[in-house]
Amino acid sequence: QDEIAGQGYHMQMVELFAEYDPMGLLPFLRASERYPLEEALAVCQRKGLREEVAYLLGRAGRVSDALRILLEEVGDVGRAVEFASETQDPQLWETLVGFVLQHSHLLVPLLDHLDALESKRLRAIGSESQQPQPPPMATPAHVLRLLPSETPLPRIATSVQRVLDSLRLSADLHEACSKISASEMVSQKKACIAKCNRGTAALALHCSLCGGAVS
């Protein structure tokens, strides 16, 4: 339970997880940073634990290698989108989108995950938790604009319709916010003008010598 007291055993825990409980290794790697990164990476590579390798490469700053493994070896577009969204690196997003455009069977999961990210960002508008703004290429609309003309539409029709519905909702939300802001500005302006036009009651003045009222 005491992570600091047991830090000398964390590398041993990595080896034990890799050998006997591979499913539990990634949560352990995320929960602890008290293991030698390169040694843990070597263990995961030796055991062929590709997602764990990608995670450790990302921690080591080798984000392009990590993304390549998630796409080419793990084949998990959702995990790749999650990984790219953690850094919001435009180059990573370009690599991800370019890879998917060359593998059309991955278009549906990419559009669905990007749409989910966009919806999450819209729900966060106005909340205290500020989400980092994604680069332009990390949006469903950008991917749709890049689709080759020969892309088979029936395969992605449902995802495209969902994206279009989200875009329409986003546009409606922005329009409503603009109207509310404009209305608030007009209301504040009218209140300010009314306050300036009101008369001000004059205070009664008295002579400092005799105390009589001064007209």
Side-chain angles (χ1 to χ4, degrees), residues 9-22 25 43 47:
Y9 298 97
H10 282 211
M11 189 58 220
Q12 185 177 356
M13 291 294 296
V14 170
E15 294 172 345
L16 290 173
F17 271 116
E19 184 68 32
Y20 299 107
D21 184 15
L25 179 54
V43 169
K47 293 292 185 181

Side-chain angles (χ1 to χ4, degrees), residues 89-124:
D89 182 341
Q91 187 174 356
L92 276 186
W93 281 109
E94 286 182 4
T95 301
L96 193 160
V97 172
F99 180 88
V100 171
L101 289 176
Q102 295 175 3
H103 301 80
S104 59
H105 66 284
L106 299 176
L107 275 171
V108 169
L110 175 63
L111 289 172
D112 289 347
H113 282 93
L114 288 180
D115 184 54
L117 276 182
E118 185 75 3
S119 299
K120 181 179 179 181
R121 188 178 68 83
L122 289 175
R123 287 196 299 270

Side-chain angles (χ1 to χ4, degrees), residues 33-113:
E33 296 183 356
R34 302 181 184 280
Y35 49 81
L37 195 56
E38 291 300 324
E39 291 183 31
L41 180 59
V43 169
C44 293
Q45 288 173 329
R46 188 170 62 249
K47 293 292 185 181
L49 303 173
R50 310 314 297 164
E51 190 168 353
E52 288 76 6
V53 168
Y55 171 74
L56 293 172
L57 286 173
R59 273 198 54 198
R62 297 164 58 183
V63 290
S64 296
D65 291 336
L67 182 64
R68 180 187 59 79
I69 288 176
L70 289 172
L71 289 172
E72 298 180 7
E73 300 183 26
V74 179
D76 189 339
V77 173
R79 182 67 191 91
V81 168
E82 180 184 345
F83 178 77
S85 67
E86 291 170 357
T87 63
Q88 298 297 11
D89 182 341
Q91 187 174 356
L92 276 186
W93 281 109
E94 286 182 4
T95 301
L96 193 160
V97 172
F99 180 88
V100 171
L101 289 176
Q102 295 175 3
H103 301 80
S104 59
H105 66 284
L106 299 176
L107 275 171
V108 169
L110 175 63
L111 289 172
D112 289 347
H113 282 93

